[in-house]
Amino acid sequence: DGGITQSPKYLFRKEGQNVTLSCEQNLNHDAMYWYRQDPGQGLRLIYYSQIVNDFQKGDIAEGYSVSREKKESFPLTVTSAQKNPTAFYLCASSIDRDALGSGNTIYFGEGSWLTVV
Amino acid sequence: AQKVTQAQTEISVVEKEDVTLDCVYETRDTTYYLFWYKQPPSGELVFLIRRNSFDEQNEISGRYSWNFQKSTSSFNFTITASQVVDSAVYFCALSSNNDMRFGAGTRLTVKP
């Protein structure tokens, strides 16, 4: 089936550790995105990538890093520099690389819960 | 700066009631797009509808309808004869000028 797959669904991290969230899509979409969701705050953009080997910071990029070595993959690393990483993380993609302002629909994965213990 | 406001944090209704979720947006752009997404307990945001700023016609899809009014900068979403399966968090979003903003979401609970 076509779609966006995120793993793991639940992840626990000790303070000071880096963790990587996986995101894979088989929709042949050009653009991919990472959002963070906190209760009562909606979705905030962390990073996005419009083409392979290129990515841009979103509103809350500090403490996060990404790579886009393949069109279908866009992993997110939550580093120890991220002071409050406990949140729900959503990966998304769109067929158009300019989707953020062009009106093309963004499609989402099922998300990953990250908890710092 | 663009902004989307969903003033209703939580709504609770009894099955078969009609319910309207409000969305008010702010933008200086004349070309923009509005979206509604549904987030069920599984977590995935499910796309429901997209409208562009030049099309103010209301839209109906089964029990769902959307009322777009540029005069009041609103894009409200109505569920007719609500069902328990409609329970979810609903997000309104605004897209224009290389930017996309989401509202804080409205949690809808439909009780049997």
Side-chain angles (χ1 to χ4, degrees), chain A residues 32-34 45-48 55-58 61 64-66 74:
Chain A
M32 296 187 74
Y33 313 82
W34 275 104
L45 183 63
I46 304 172
Y47 268 100
Y48 65 101
F55 46 82
Q56 308 294 329
K57 293 182 178 180
Y64 300 97
S65 66
V66 294
F74 191 42

Side-chain angles (χ1 to χ4, degrees), chain B residues 2-19:
Chain B
Q2 302 189 132
K3 185 178 178 182
V4 176
T5 302
Q6 294 180 254
Q8 304 151 309
T9 306
E10 295 189 27
I11 300 176
S12 181
V13 299
V14 176
E15 204 169 23
K16 297 184 182 178
E17 286 185 15
D18 298 347
V19 57

Side-chain angles (χ1 to χ4, degrees), chain A residues 9 35 37 40-45 48 50 59 88 90 98-111, chain B residues 31-33 35 37 39 41-47 50 89 91 94-105:
Chain A
K9 180 70 175 179
Y35 284 90
Q37 183 178 4
Q41 293 193 46
L43 278 67
R44 292 182 290 169
L45 183 63
Y48 65 101
Q50 295 171 300
D59 297 323
F88 187 56
L90 284 156
D98 295 323
L100 278 180
S102 67
N104 283 286
T105 301
I106 294 179
Y107 296 93
F108 289 83
E110 290 195 350
Chain B
T31 301
Y32 54 88
Y33 302 85
F35 297 80
Y37 285 86
Q39 186 178 40
S42 61
E44 176 183 0
L45 265 73
V46 178
F47 166 74
R50 179 190 70 186
V89 181
F91 290 96
L94 166 67
S95 170
S96 74
N97 196 24
N98 200 36
D99 186 51
M100 187 163 185
R101 295 288 155 180
F102 287 81

